Amino acid sequence: MVDAQLGHDGTTFMIPQDSKRMTEETGEDLATAKRILGLEEKWLQPFQARDPFNDGLEVEGFLSIRPDHRYGALAITRVAGRPVPQVIAATPKLHYPFDKVGTFRFPPVAKLSFYEKLDGTNVLAYRYRAAEGRSYLSYKLRLAPFLRNGKWGEFLDLWRELLARHPSIPQLVDLNRCHMSFEMYGSRNTHLIEYEVGLEAAALFGVDAAFRVVPIYRLDLRGVPAAPCLGELSA
């Protein structure tokens, strides 16, 4: 089936109804993403991807590139083609406590914890749900809805190796009732620092549904390594 449309120059062209429906759905999904993430269109990147951790389940939505607490967050609009709007809080953009000239400006706090900044690839463990209510555990890169292999690295294969080494990782999202941010680092995933260890994962913090960071000391890691704590200061 096709619909006849009149162009600006008076010519008639045909649009398949399926294409028209898809265009309408995309517009509706964009409006939904803008509403549930509270962002303008310029901060949203559309995606349609298959989840490599759940039999290639198709997920559609928009990814936030706004450099704030919503950085990397997902506005999932459809799972397996069915509407199921939801927000996935992700690893936020963490601002340094000093300005461009190096002056420290700490907010009012009762306690400061200092952790080693590991140099690798951020991986977020998170859950999303399908329209029938079932939830799925998966893992994403900072600016992608899922882990994947590509020209910048075999991130998917490396993470599968770490999951086999640390079988408790898949339990942590449900156990702590928040998404979990990890760093995947080592000489096999080299960035700027050369590590002696070949490949390792370290828990960084949790991220709850309200985009709040949950510190490591409040999390049950079940033996999964964490970023090394270098010291603490209390008021």
Side-chain angles (χ1 to χ4, degrees):
M1 296 291 291
V2 295
D3 283 343
Q5 299 288 328
L6 188 66
H8 294 296
D9 59 358
T11 58
T12 301
F13 58 94
M14 311 303 286
I15 297 179
Q17 284 190 347
D18 283 350
S19 297
K20 182 181 179 181
R21 176 181 57 80
M22 291 175 63
T23 300
E24 291 174 348
E25 288 178 352
T26 300
E28 293 171 359
D29 289 353
L30 175 58
T32 297
K34 290 166 63 177
R35 175 177 54 81
I36 63 180
L37 276 178
L39 291 172
E40 300 174 59
E41 182 177 353
K42 68 179 181 179
W43 298 113
L44 297 170
Q45 289 186 345
F47 70 84
Q48 183 178 22
R50 293 192 176 275
D51 184 351
F53 298 96
N54 290 288
D55 300 321
L57 186 64
E58 187 176 74
V59 179
E60 301 171 59
F62 295 82
L63 183 145
S64 167
I65 58 172
R66 177 79 181 255
D68 61 9
H69 62 285
R70 293 163 293 192
Y71 190 64
L74 304 179
I76 293 177
T77 54
R78 297 174 187 271
V79 175
R82 298 178 62 187
V84 56
Q86 58 198 286
V87 171
I88 304 299
T91 302
K93 193 75 170 178
L94 297 177
H95 297 284
Y96 295 108
F98 48 81
D99 59 24
K100 293 182 179 179
V101 297
T103 303
F104 278 82
R105 302 183 186 279
F106 286 104
V109 294
K111 178 181 179 181
L112 289 173
S113 298
F114 302 91
Y115 294 90
E116 179 181 348
K117 188 179 186 303
L118 299 169
D119 185 39
T121 299
N122 186 260
V123 176
L124 184 88
Y126 70 99
R127 277 198 176 275
Y128 65 94
R129 69 183 187 281
E132 74 276 9
R134 180 181 174 183
S135 68
Y136 296 88
L137 176 69
S138 196
Y139 306 90
K140 71 182 292 295
L141 295 170
R142 200 74 181 274
L143 291 178
F146 302 112
L147 278 167
R148 61 193 180 195
N149 294 326
K151 66 178 181 178
W152 303 114
E154 303 298 305
F155 303 126
L156 177 58
D157 291 346
L158 293 175
W159 188 249
R160 288 190 190 279
E161 182 178 328
L162 288 168
L163 289 177
R165 187 186 308 170
H166 301 295
S168 296
I169 287 179
Q171 304 172 23
L172 300 187
V173 169
D174 293 338
L175 185 64
N176 293 289
R177 298 182 179 181
C178 64
H179 297 161
M180 294 290 302
S181 184
F182 298 89
E183 196 77 0
M184 178 169 64
Y185 69 100
S187 61
R188 293 170 57 197
N189 185 35
T190 303
H191 286 63
L192 295 177
I193 298 176
E194 273 286 351
Y195 289 99
E196 292 185 5
V197 63
L199 182 68
E200 189 54 276
L204 303 179
F205 47 79
V207 184
D208 69 15
F211 293 90
R212 293 173 300 209
V213 170
V214 183
I216 291 176
Y217 59 81
R218 293 182 182 172
L219 299 172
D220 184 346
L221 299 180
R222 294 294 169 97
V224 175
C229 182
L230 304 179
E232 294 182 340
L233 290 175
S234 298

